[in-house]
Every structure is written in structure tokens, then in C-alpha cells.
Amino acid sequence: MNDKLTLITCHANADFDAFAAMLAARHLYQPCFLLFPGTQERGLHKVFSSLDPADYNFRESASLNWMDFQRLVLVDTRQRSRIKHVAPLLQISGLCLEVWDHHPDSPDDLKADVQYLANTGAVTSRLVQELRRQYFKISAQEATLLGLGIYGDTGSFTYSSTTSEDFQAAAWLLEQGMDVNQISEMAAHELTSMHIQALNSLLESAHSYTINGMSVVLAEASMEHYLGDFAYLAHRLMEMEKFTVLFAIGIMGDRIQVVARSRCDFLNVGDICVRLGGGGHVYAASASIRSMPINEVRETILRGLFEQAHPEKSAREYMSSPAVGVEATARIREADELMLHFGLKAVPVFGSGTRQCVGILDAQTASRARAHGLAEMHVENYMQRRFLSLSPDAEIKELTNIIIGSRQRLVPIVENEAVIGVVTRTDLINIFAEGPGNILDRSDVRGKERNVGKLITDRLPQSIRQLLLLIGDLGRKLSLPVYIVGGFVRDLLLDRPNHDIDLVVEGNGIALAKELARVLGGRVREHQKFLTSVVIFTNAEGQESRIDVATARLEYYEYPAALPTVELSSIKMDLFRRDFSINALAVRLDSTPFGQLLDFFGGQRDIKERLIRVLHTLSFVEDPTRCLRAVRFEQRYKFKISPNAEKLIRNVLSLRLMERLSSPRLFNEYQHICNEADPPACFIRLEELGILQAIMPQLTLTSARRDILKRTKEILAWYRLLYFDEPIQTWFLYFLSLNNNLNYIETSNHFDQLGLPENKKNYIMAQRELMRGVLPRLNVWQHQEGTQGQRISALWKLLRPVSLECLLFMMAVTQNQGLLKNLSRYIMQWRHEKPDISGADLQGLGLTPGPLFGRLLQHVLEAKLDGQTPNAESQINFIRLLLANDLAED
């Protein structure tokens, strides 16, 4: 084989320009093979499929021996992350790498031995220039294919990136026989109903951000499955709406497709798509993403736009100074109290008597160390010793790489080996979301707004409406923006009852709470340290009600004051802390008109599409109980956990983070699941995801156990229809069902693993053992009450010590209809029976009060159950008979 065998390829998800460039390059490198990495564009796929691979030397990857190649030619890219299909070839020593590209430099670029970089609208134009210079002759068919690449990447010469070289290349191709009509046919896009629906979604969701006076539009569309030719929809949208800059985001199952287009060179959309794992140039770019939730995609785009709009700012301008920290020899207790006092998540650790940073201590580590009795240990024993710092001249991109990329909570800013300030994760978020110099006009930062005043009027009872109007009036009176947030808003949109009011105030939340309590005639329980309070009052129905009031807050170093304080944040920052997009909604109550809905994170869209999505990739890591909550909401609303959220759950399980949950938090979530409308569905889904096994490794939901769970749900529904006042511990009942037919030790272990209350363990386990002993003795009541000489009173005495939860469980596991009837009658009637006479009647018989009274009345009750003493007169006679025959002691 020739010593200079060459492989020619392009970037993954090829477009027309990349494909045409490969065809052109094959004339310049002989002998060669072409490796086409595939495409998501239906038009290109159709063109490629129509060609005979042998005519152009196309090869399948599986048929290639990497060791045969001495040269690799890349066209339309030089980014390592976009050519993973030839990664093995890049490892071969002595390989010659040549590049033909028209994209700007990026950090991911490979170092080439030879590179041909062009400032043209299409890289094919640069290759055509070389063919023309070397006097190549090509067929009319191939000229048309190359022209297709130029037309595609220049938007038929309408894009701002089009150059004179592109026109000259096209002119030469015309001389070679290029058929423009055929190009028009090959490049035509057939829009299906799904494409039209997606285009409508993009139009409806389009949201404009003003960046230094320029409009940038983000538009989103969600599809259940992958949709080809999404890039063409972005092109159509640009033409229809005449946008200057557009980021079209397609949420397609387990992937997100981003297509960016621009008519100006002020913003480099290619640089932003590189951050998302894609590529492109100033005017056109794209990215295909599988490991990032939609909210992080949005934030990455906006962060990139911000950095491009403010390249001149440095860490010195963003940092908080002076930095509050602790010395390495300080006690863990002292550091923890310092962070708690100032509301900090982390602090730099200084060398003794210096401002030199030797580590970082975060609040979580300090808190855990104290919990393990290590409060008096030195900070240096538990601080993070490996960390990254920056100089005051560092750019925001460097700060972002450390805080977001390396997940370091704060970055020490060091000058002359001394810490002069810090930039925290919160500072960075504040910069992007609500900080000074924000890229967004104030009119645009409120997210996707909609007024829900009419929904409040139509769907809520009058008492709740009046209360919300009152809160809005107080907000205006005190000049405090006030919002109702969370589940109340979610259920309002879903038209489900939920009257739990949680308020967030931008400003002094405690002041609003005190004024609200005064007007309602209630009282306030405040937590000054956390800037939260609870208003307790009597509602219109005469019942005690509570309203939680929180202040939107952010741990923040106040600038330029000497010491940090708890700094107020926007409602957006408060909502970003929440678990799922459907719970990150707010309604402003002091607005005019009343009832402005705020949706920063696509909660309305996810409600419409019935999806459970997290706000960021660390959501489940930060709080693993959200895994259980995701299942709970999924089953409650018949939604679906998004593919990306499901991947993140499995990642948490692989890291065994469920083991870190405290017993009270786990029990709290378990209780909530047991109180849902369909707990069996929740448990089954928990097992499908592996969450149940992570909590109780030895438990398997066999088909029999699943049947018991479902039967338990039916029995519980039956009991609730009785409308008895006696409360039932549903968590106890479902615990019995989950552990059906397991031995004592296994059940005891599961009790501990579920985090159930230790102070109730003896009672629960004793009740379970009592019930297991009673069940076999119930066989004699399998037909009709009182059969085989058994009296109802005997059943009453047998079941009397058994708890209500165990009684209902026995009904769930009972298959015999006669026994089921007797158990149901016992629950409904017999256990509530009482004698018709009292101690006063016994005194009337001349008896002295004492233990004898209790025994006599129990005899009377047993006789009544057996039909012997149906009324008071017969019961008095029964007592006389017992006394006459000395039977009272039996």
C-alpha cells in the first residue's frame, strides 16, 4: 500500500459544506479514503445515500485499519471533541495532520502539521480555489455537489459571512457545469407536521435579551423523539422574524440540539456553541448535548454572551474585598460559627499570622465535623488543600472555569502571595443573573411572564383570593415586591386544590410578616438568622392557618464594606434553589395588574409537556431526597421524569449518595410517599430506577408483594370512605405491606434503613409479631360469624389488642370472603360497640366502685356482641344473673 495513504473526514453531524469539502479534498490527496461520520440533516442524508460510495472512495469505519494511514485530513473543523470517530488514528505516532477550516480558533483545536485557514463563508470555497489554482477538471455532477456546500453554508449567499471568494468559487463551478436548479432541489426541505409544530413552538417561546443594545433571541421547542433538519427550522425562523442573533434550542428526548445563527460579527455564536460541546463560526454554529439539563444550557449561552459583552472586566472588579477567612490553627467550631454568622458557604484558610491562602473550608465540612464531635480540631486537619486561585487581572472566563468547571465554591484572588479578595459561586451567579452591568435590560430579566389573575379568580375560594389581594396591598404599601411561590403556583396551573401559601419577599420579609399578622389579628414566629417567619392566624373557617414568609437572600460579601452580610437577592435566585422546574414558579402579588406569573426555568412548558426536570446537574447530588420527590411528583401528576433527570438519578445511585441521607429526612420523604394517592405506583417506580434497592438492598418487589401493595391501597380507600375520626398512620400500614412474609431480622433492618422513628420501633415490631400470631387463629371465622361454635365476642377479644393499621393489613392479605366480611364488620362496628349501661347503673344495684365494675361491663359488652343483651334492661338482668351465680370473676 502507498506510503502516503490518506484518510479524509469532517466533523460529526456533518452539514453540506463539510460533505462537499471532503469531496473536493479527495482530488488533492491521492490515494485516499473518505470517512463520512454521519449527519442529522435529512437532505444531506438523502444526497449521500444516492451516491455510489465506490465512486468517491467512501469507507465504513469498521472496514478501516488505522495503521494503514500516514496522513489525516480534516475539513470544516480542527476541534478534537468533534472528531471522536477518528480518535484511534490520532494516537498513532508519526501521523501527519492537515486541516482545512474556516472557523475561528478554539481551546479544543488540534495542533496540525499543515493547516489552510480561510475567512470564507464556506470552507468548500477555499478548496475550490485550490482546485482552480492547480487546473483540476471536475464533472458537472461533482461541481453541483461542491456548489451545494457553498450554497448551504452561505445561505445562498445571503449570510453576512459570505465573501467575494465564495462568489468566485461558485463562478468557477458554474464553468464546470454546476446545475443551480438541481442544487435548489437537493437543498429543498420538506416540512412535516412535526416540523411545523416545532416551528410554532419556537415562535411562541422566543424570548429576546438585550445585550449592549443588541437583541439576542432564545427560542425552544420540545419533541418526544429526535427531529431531523432542526437547523433548517432555525434558518426559517431567522428569515421569518428577521432576528439579528438566534439560539434555537430543540429538546429531543435524551438530547438537546442547539443551532445558532447571527447576522453580525459583534457576537461569536461559534464560541458559545464550543462551550456546549459543539462548534461553528461567528455567524453559524451548533451543538448536540446529552449530559446537561436545559437550564444549564440556557445559563451557558447567557454566560457566554455576558463574557463576550464584557471582556474588559477582571477579577478585581468582581471580587469581594476584604476576604473574610480563618487561620489554619483556628478551631472547627470557630470557623463554623463564623460562616453561620455571616451566611457563608465557604471561607479561605490563611497561614498563621498571614493573608496567604493555604486551603478552603466549606460550611458543609465544618458542620459535619462538629456533628462527629470534632468541633475542637484545627481547621487545617479538614480544609481542602488542593485549590485554584487567580490574580486580580483574571477574566470572568477563568473564574467561570474554576467555579463552574472545577466546582470550587470560591476562588481566592491573590496578589503578592496575599489574598486580597474572593469571588464566590454566589457572586458569579449574581453577576450573570442580577448583578450590576448585567447584559439584560431590566425589562427582560423577569423570565417568561404571564398574568394568572383570572385563574386565581376562577379557581380559588373567595377566602384565599381575598388573602392574596391583602398580601399584595401590603406589598405595595411597604414597597416590597412579594411573590407566592412553589407548589401553590404549580397546582394553580394544574387546577388542583392547594391552599398552602409560601411567600418570598424581595426586601424585608419579616417586616411584611409582622404587618400581615397585625392586619389578620395573628402572631409571628420569626427566625431572624435565616430571614424567615411564619404568620399564624385564625382563618375564616375558625381554624388555625399558617403562612410562611421568606426573604429572597443570598450569602454574599457586601461590597465595598469591610465585612460580609446576608445580601438580598432576586426572586430568580430564590427560585433557582428549588428542586424542579414545575416548582420554580412564582406569582407576583403586588403587581399591577394583579397576578403576574414568573417562569425563568421553563416550568410552564414542562407542565404542558408533563415532564419532571431539574434546574441543574448537581440538583440530586446536593439533595438526594429529590430522587424520591421526583418519583412522587411523577406519579402524582402522571408526568414523566425527563431522560436527563433519570440519568442524573442513576448517577447519584452509582455514587451511593443515598447512604448519606439522615434518618429524619428519609422518613419524611417515605411518609410523603405513603400519603400520596398511589403509593404502590411510587414504590414500583422507585424499584425500576434502583432507588428502593439503594435504600433497602435486600428488598425485592415480587409480583406477590406488588399485589399486596395494590390491595393495601384499595383497603385504605375503603376505610377512608367510612369517615371515621380515628387517624391512621399510612407509613406503618405500607411498611407492613413492603415487609410481608419477611422474618423479624429482615423487617427490623428495613425499619432502620427507611429511617423510621426509633422511639416507635418496639411498638411497631411488637404489633407486627402480635398480628402474625393472630392471623392463623382467624381460620374459624372464614365463613360466617360465629361458625364452629365461635362467638363474635371471641373474635373481639382476639382482635382487641391489634392496632388499626394491622387490622387493615390483615384485610389486605385476606383472600377468604367470609373472613374479610368479619374483619370489615369488626372495624366498622364491633370494635366501636359499648355497653348501654354504666358504672352509675352498677351503683344503683348496690355495688361499690372498683375493678369489679370493669370486669362486669366487659362481660356485658361480650354478651351484647353475641346478641344476648341487646338493651339496657337485659344488661341489668345479665349483671344480676352474674352476681347471683358468682360469675363476675370469670
Side-chain angles (χ1 to χ4, degrees), residues 837-849 852-853 856-857 860 872-884 888:
I837 61 175
S838 65
D841 296 303
L842 297 183
Q843 285 182 284
L845 295 175
L847 298 176
T848 303
L852 178 62
F853 275 29
L856 288 172
L857 290 175
V860 167
E873 180 181 357
S874 61
Q875 291 169 17
I876 291 291
N877 292 332
F878 182 72
I879 291 292
R880 290 193 178 103
L881 180 64
L882 289 177
L883 294 173

Side-chain angles (χ1 to χ4, degrees), residues 484-510:
I484 187 166
V485 299
F488 182 99
V489 183
R490 174 200 66 220
D491 289 343
L492 174 67
L493 297 181
L494 287 166
D495 197 12
R496 295 171 67 102
N498 184 344
H499 301 156
D500 294 332
I501 298 178
D502 292 322
L503 302 178
V504 172
V505 179
E506 285 185 312
N508 192 336
I510 292 178

Side-chain angles (χ1 to χ4, degrees), residues 7-8 57 61 290 366 420 481-482 498 533 564 595 677 745 770 788 794 845:
L7 182 67
I8 300 172
N57 282 343
S61 177
R290 289 182 180 270
I420 63 171
V482 57
N498 184 344
S533 52
I745 294 176
L770 172 65
Q788 300 183 20
L845 295 175

Side-chain angles (χ1 to χ4, degrees), residues 345-362:
K345 295 295 186 184
V347 290
V349 180
F350 304 130
S352 182
T354 73
R355 298 289 290 181
Q356 182 178 359
C357 189
V358 296
I360 295 173
L361 181 70
D362 64 78

Side-chain angles (χ1 to χ4, degrees), residues 359-398:
I360 295 173
L361 181 70
D362 64 78
Q364 188 177 37
T365 299
S367 177
R368 286 181 176 178
R370 291 190 74 173
H372 288 289
L374 305 173
E376 299 305 315
M377 297 294 289
H378 290 154
V379 167
E380 61 187 351
N381 293 322
Y382 295 97
M383 68 183 183
Q384 177 185 339
R385 296 178 180 273
R386 299 181 64 182
F387 62 92
L388 299 171
S389 62
L390 291 173
S391 72
D393 298 325
E395 297 179 353
I396 191 171
K397 186 172 184 178
E398 297 174 83

Side-chain angles (χ1 to χ4, degrees), residues 680 683-684 687 692 699-706 709 738:
F683 289 123
I684 291 170
E687 184 178 55
L692 197 63
L699 182 65
T700 302
L701 294 187
T702 61
S703 59
R705 191 162 285 121
R706 292 188 181 199
L709 285 169
L738 287 169

